[in-house]
């Protein structure tokens, strides 16, 4: 029979990599919960129009990258390409504002984009995201960047740079749009086909275009800073002042635009400066989206959030991973000893220890090899002779020492020895 393979750009997470993913996920939960964020889980599939209306009809994601299909009744559905839209939908659908005027939520989950796969860029990838609703004050913009930074710091990742920009409020955006269209019109014919089509409806997309010709034109365009309203300028200045106060280094990058249409005012990304990730070096992107809740049918509500790409964090972690739990292996020979072994591993597990045994009837030599293979810290050795004599041997695999333990004390003595090794 031929082997069936995974879909291109969609990866298996194998047991050997699991400890690294767990380190990322556990650190994220620990940091996010310290900042008052609570977990939310939304479906992987949503109505297509949710993403069209939020991410924007003329973005790369919506135009080219969504996995969209019809269900059996002809309803148009899409595998979520990002988490924010679904979270806003859920917050509104369940009216989380009813018992908290400023809910803060986080999520971990897979997202899907039909992009060209390469290192750090996949078609199914995982995000860890956070979204905070109901706060307009720039304090939270700085706090969310500080939170992202703390998470990276606790993972022990360095060599990273925070880039910051402001896209302005609705008023600034409208005047910037006019400036851009006027500046782009003389270059219209030199733009790529996508940009020619969307430069009037969504000229910001030209600034984010990856085609060389468009990049060259983008470099000559007026900066968004020229169009910011006084309110947007004051907001940006306050975010920067708080970041300085917290000692978080950042660089204002007037070229930063982000690929989704819902952003207003503050946007930011954190990227690895070393070559480790190649061109896919942005580990987190986010920003304020003060218009989105209303755009999805809610009351006008300020909001801000970010999302990390988990694969990229795991790549940066290299060999670093969650410390393995010490475990005990029970090696038994003989019918009665094997029964005792089964009862003993269960008793140890009930007390919270990680314990395994050999399932097949095998020689002691083969069982000790197995214990070594699973990385057991301790091995309990019991044959029918030991059983008749009322004791077991407790072997410490790292120290090489061995001692006799009376059977009734085995569980307690093993637990003590395991705890001593942590
Ligand atoms: P995004 O910039 O599209 O923003 O994605 C956030 C992060 O997800 C990226 O910085 C990257 O680390 C990771 N990522 C994106 N696409 C891929 C891919 N194809 N393969 C691997 N990793 C990828 C958003 O998704 C927004 N929802 C973030 C946000 C939340 N803004 C406000 N709240």
């Amino acid at each position: 029979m031929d082997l069936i393979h995974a879909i291109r750009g969609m990866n298996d997470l194998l047991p050997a990599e699991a400890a690294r993913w767990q380190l990322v996920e556990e650190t994220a939960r620990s940091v996010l919960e310290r900042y008052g964020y609570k977990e939310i889980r939304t479906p992987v599939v949503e109505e297509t129009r949710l993403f069209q209306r939020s991410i924007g009809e003329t973005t790369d994601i919506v135009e080219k990258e969504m996995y969209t299909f019809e269900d059996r009744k002809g309803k148009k559905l899409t595998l979520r390409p990002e988490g924010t839209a679904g979270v806003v939908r859920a917050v509104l659908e369940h009216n989380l504002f009813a018992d908290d005027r400023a809910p803060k939520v986080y999520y971990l989950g897979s997202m899907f984009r039909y992009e060209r796969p390469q290192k750090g860029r996949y078609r199914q990838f995982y995000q860890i995201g956070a979204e905070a609703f109901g706060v307009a004050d720039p304090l939270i913009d700085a706090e969310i960047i500080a939170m992202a930074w703390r998470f990276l710091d606790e993972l022990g990742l360095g060599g990273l740079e925070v880039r910051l920009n402001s896209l302005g409020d609705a008023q600034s955006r409208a005047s910037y749009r006019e400036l851009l269209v006027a500046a782009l019109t003389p270059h219209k014919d030199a733009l790529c086909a996508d940009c020619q089509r969307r430069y009037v409806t969504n000229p910001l997309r030209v600034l984010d275009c990856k085609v060389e010709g468009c990049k060259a034109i983008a470099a000559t365009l007026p900066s968004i800073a020229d169009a910011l309203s006084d309110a947007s300028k004051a907001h940006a200045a306050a975010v920067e002042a708080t970041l300085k106060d917290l000692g978080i280094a950042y660089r204002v990058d007037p070229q930063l635009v982000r690929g989704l249409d819902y952003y207003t005012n503050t946007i930011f990304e954190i990227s690895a400066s070393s070559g480790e990730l190649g061109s896919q070096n942005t580990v987190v992107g986010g920003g304020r989206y003060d218009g989105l809740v209303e755009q999805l049918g809610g009351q006008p509500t300020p909001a801000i959030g970010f999302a990390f790409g988990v694969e990229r964090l795991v790549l940066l972690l290299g060999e670093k991973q969650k410390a393995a739990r010490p475990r005990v292996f029970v090696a038994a020979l003989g019918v009665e000893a094997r029964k005792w072994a089964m009862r003993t591993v269960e008793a140890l597990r009930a007390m919270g220890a990680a314990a395994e045994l050999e399932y097949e009837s095998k020689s002691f030599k083969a069982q000790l090899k197995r214990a070594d293979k699973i990385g057991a810290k301790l091995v309990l050795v019991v044959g029918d002779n030991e059983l008749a004599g009322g004791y077991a041997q407790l072997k410490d695999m790292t120290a090489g020492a061995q001692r006799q333990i009376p059977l009734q004390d085995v569980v307690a003595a093993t637990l003590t020895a395991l705890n001593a090794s942590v």
Side-chain angles (χ1 to χ4, degrees):
M1 290 281 247
D2 58 332
L3 282 176
I4 299 171
H5 294 278
I7 308 295
R8 182 165 134 85
M10 303 200 179
N11 300 314
D12 297 307
L13 163 61
L14 300 175
E17 302 148 41
R20 216 163 296 152
W21 281 68
Q22 286 170 0
L23 177 68
V24 171
E25 291 171 3
E26 286 169 18
T27 308
R29 284 180 195 281
S30 156
V31 172
L32 289 159
E33 288 182 10
R34 265 178 272 156
Y35 283 81
Y37 288 72
K38 297 199 179 111
E39 185 169 359
I40 188 166
R41 297 190 194 193
T42 64
V44 167
V45 182
E46 298 272 1
E47 278 193 55
T48 303
R49 61 195 177 113
L50 174 69
F51 303 116
Q52 291 169 327
R53 221 198 276 176
S54 54
I55 300 169
E57 295 273 10
T58 50
T59 56
D60 280 353
I61 296 180
V62 171
E63 282 187 343
K64 310 179 198 171
E65 296 170 0
M66 296 205 301
Y67 281 90
T68 295
F69 55 96
E70 285 183 5
D71 72 5
R72 289 177 186 275
K73 290 209 169 130
K75 195 168 203 151
K76 273 186 94 179
L77 305 178
T78 295
L79 296 183
R80 61 181 181 194
E82 59 104 52
T84 311
V87 167
V88 174
R89 179 203 49 70
V91 164
L92 287 174
E93 190 166 335
H94 305 282
N95 191 19
L96 295 195
F97 300 112
D99 57 43
D100 186 351
R101 69 181 163 77
K104 295 192 280 192
V105 296
Y106 74 87
Y107 50 91
L108 281 78
S110 43
M111 310 292 158
F112 302 83
R113 294 184 196 175
Y114 196 83
E115 292 193 84
R116 201 168 46 76
Q118 65 179 87
K119 187 177 181 187
R121 187 169 69 195
Y122 311 102
R123 289 182 174 167
Q124 176 176 353
F125 59 98
Y126 284 77
Q127 282 188 346
I128 295 174
E131 315 288 351
F133 297 92
V135 181
D137 198 283
L139 210 55
I140 202 167
D141 304 41
E143 187 193 56
I144 211 156
I145 295 170
M147 179 166 81
W149 193 251
R150 183 168 308 283
F151 170 49
L152 292 165
D153 183 58
E154 292 192 11
L155 283 176
L157 298 177
L160 296 157
E161 185 187 45
V162 180
R163 282 172 301 123
L164 190 66
N165 196 16
S166 174
L167 289 180
D169 49 23
Q171 185 204 332
S172 324
R173 288 282 281 274
S175 46
Y176 186 50
R177 199 186 141 263
E178 276 178 34
L179 274 179
L180 272 185
V181 176
L184 279 168
T185 305
H187 300 288
K188 182 173 177 271
D189 296 339
L191 294 172
C192 74
D194 279 342
C195 289
Q196 288 198 14
R197 187 166 38 78
R198 57 197 185 187
Y199 89 95
V200 176
T201 45
N202 198 355
L204 264 186
R205 295 277 65 92
V206 179
L207 298 178
D208 197 32
C209 184
K210 305 290 178 285
V211 175
E212 287 306 324
C214 298
K215 275 193 190 166
I217 295 169
T220 69
L221 296 172
S223 160
I224 203 157
D226 304 331
L228 290 187
S229 67
D230 289 344
S232 284
K233 278 186 195 152
H235 189 94
V239 175
E240 289 189 44
T242 307
L243 285 176
K244 283 195 185 116
D245 204 31
L246 294 176
I248 294 172
Y250 63 88
R251 176 166 68 85
V252 174
D253 178 1
Q255 310 287 343
L256 182 65
V257 273
R258 310 260 314 119
L260 305 94
D261 278 353
Y262 48 63
Y263 291 110
T264 53
N265 285 319
T266 312
I267 52 168
F268 70 95
E269 288 183 352
I270 303 180
S271 305
S273 38
S274 70
E276 198 114 28
L277 291 180
S279 59
Q280 305 303 313
N281 63 345
T282 302
V283 293
V284 58
R288 200 167 254 294
Y289 49 93
D290 290 346
L292 184 58
V293 173
E294 192 177 8
Q295 234 167 291
L296 292 179
Q299 297 298 317
T301 307
I304 184 166
F306 65 55
F308 278 89
V310 180
E311 287 81 356
R312 295 181 190 183
L313 292 172
V314 168
L315 280 168
L316 282 182
L317 274 180
E319 292 307 306
K320 201 174 299 164
Q321 54 182 274
K322 204 180 114 181
R325 250 180 113 167
R327 45 190 53 232
V328 53
F329 189 86
V330 182
L333 205 60
V335 176
E336 288 309 312
R338 280 165 50 76
K339 284 187 194 157
W340 179 88
M342 186 65 178
R343 286 196 302 274
T344 305
V345 284
E346 276 299 301
L348 285 164
R349 291 162 182 161
M351 296 302 289
E356 289 183 62
L357 81 172
E358 174 56 62
Y359 303 106
E360 318 279 344
S361 182
K362 293 239 163 101
S363 69
F364 271 132
K365 193 171 166 221
Q367 295 194 50
L368 287 175
K369 232 171 129 182
R370 178 81 196 149
D372 198 41
K373 169 78 195 151
I374 68 157
K377 159 86 180 136
L378 300 173
V379 183
L380 276 167
V381 184
V382 195
D384 284 343
N385 281 347
E386 280 88 353
L387 215 54
Y391 65 89
Q393 304 280 358
L394 180 62
K395 199 171 154 66
D396 185 319
M397 296 290 269
T398 29
Q402 186 164 320
R403 61 195 162 103
Q404 280 190 8
I405 314 276
L407 289 181
Q408 70 272 16
D409 299 338
V410 157
V411 171
T414 308
L415 289 171
T416 309
L418 272 182
N419 288 336
S421 70
V422 209

